[in-house]
Amino acid sequence: MSAGRTARDKARHELTREIKDEARRQLATDGAHQLSLRAVARSLGMVSSALYRYFPSRDDLLTALIIDAYDALGAAVERADRGDTPVERWRGACTAVREWALAHRHEYALIYGSPIPGYQAPQDTVAAAVRVPIVLLGIAAAAGVGDSEIPAVLRGQFDAIADAVPVTVPTGAFARVVLAWTQLFGMVSFELFGQLVGSADPADAFFGFAVDRMAEQVGIV
């Protein structure tokens, strides 16, 4: 690669980062539904036509931000997946979800908050979105979680996607991990969006209690 091409690539990478950083600032102040390429360009001192060379539409920019958020959360959970026993790994992974969400509230809201009017997430987001459940499935596999009775329709649904998941667990175990996954994010969302105020607030003790109950439900302990 020529020095000129390398310099252009670096400049493009840097400007792409600046565009996304500015978009995240606007998410924090105005919300995802108000995100505007023109406003981002104006804040960066760019003309709109120049920004369109990096992100052809608002949806392209939203998709990039969504993938970045899923990847950042997934990486945090993967780093936390450590411990001498499956239950220690489970606690570490679940705690990492909560800690990341509390530290990145607006990015969490982007991926787990209200749907954005007019936006449909493309297939490109799936690989990043499944990083957390793959970690949870891996912990269940390491714990040797067995099968269990589940409705035939549900078994058919999960059997249909089993080949696409790089972790092998019995279908009943798969269903219980998915149940725990939804409970985990529901609990984090309740805390983040103020639904626990006046009850389990602060939520530290409740979260620890619930994580252990989920581990029991899945069959990790």
Side-chain angles (χ1 to χ4, degrees):
M1 183 179 293
S2 68
R5 177 65 181 275
T6 300
R8 286 195 299 272
D9 288 344
K10 288 181 178 178
R12 183 178 182 86
H13 176 80
E14 179 63 21
L15 187 51
T16 299
R17 184 189 61 78
E18 290 179 9
I19 292 169
K20 291 194 290 187
D21 285 348
E22 176 57 31
R24 291 188 188 97
R25 284 191 285 271
Q26 294 194 15
L27 288 179
T29 57
D30 303 322
H33 64 290
Q34 294 286 354
L35 184 63
S36 161
L37 289 182
R38 290 182 181 276
V40 171
R42 185 166 54 249
S43 295
L44 293 174
M46 299 172 60
V47 295
S48 298
S49 58
L51 191 146
Y52 290 139
R53 292 198 293 269
Y54 293 82
F55 297 100
S57 70
R58 180 209 68 158
D59 285 6
D60 290 308
L61 178 54
L62 275 172
T63 296
L65 296 176
I66 288 168
I67 291 173
D68 282 355
Y70 276 132
D71 275 334
L73 172 57
V77 173
E78 289 162 1
R79 288 193 299 270
D81 176 18
R82 59 181 182 271
D84 295 330
T85 66
V87 72
E88 290 175 351
R89 293 174 58 191
W90 180 267
R91 288 171 181 154
C94 292
T95 299
V97 170
R98 179 178 182 236
E99 290 177 346
W100 187 90
L102 292 173
H104 303 86
R105 292 171 179 264
H106 300 292
E107 290 170 79
Y108 180 89
L110 176 64
I111 53 179
Y112 290 108
S114 300
I116 303 166
Y119 175 79
Q120 181 66 46
Q123 190 70 19
D124 294 353
T125 61
V126 172
V130 299
R131 288 175 68 170
V132 172
I134 284 173
V135 170
L136 300 181
L137 286 166
I139 296 169
V145 174
D147 206 351
S148 59
E149 289 296 324
I150 59 174
V153 171
L154 192 58
R155 187 172 292 276
Q157 289 175 337
F158 289 132
D159 283 344
I161 62 174
D163 289 342
V165 177
V167 180
T168 301
V169 296
T171 308
F174 195 115
R176 295 198 302 279
V177 170
V178 172
L179 176 59
W181 172 47
T182 61
Q183 289 174 329
L184 171 62
F185 280 89
M187 182 168 50
V188 170
S189 293
F190 258 52
E191 179 180 5
L192 208 65
F193 302 138
Q195 300 301 319
L196 295 180
V197 173
S199 56
D201 178 42
D204 302 66
F206 174 67
F207 184 84
F209 171 80
V211 165
D212 283 353
R213 298 296 78 73
M214 286 187 287
E216 293 173 359
Q217 171 185 286
V218 172
I220 291 172
V221 292

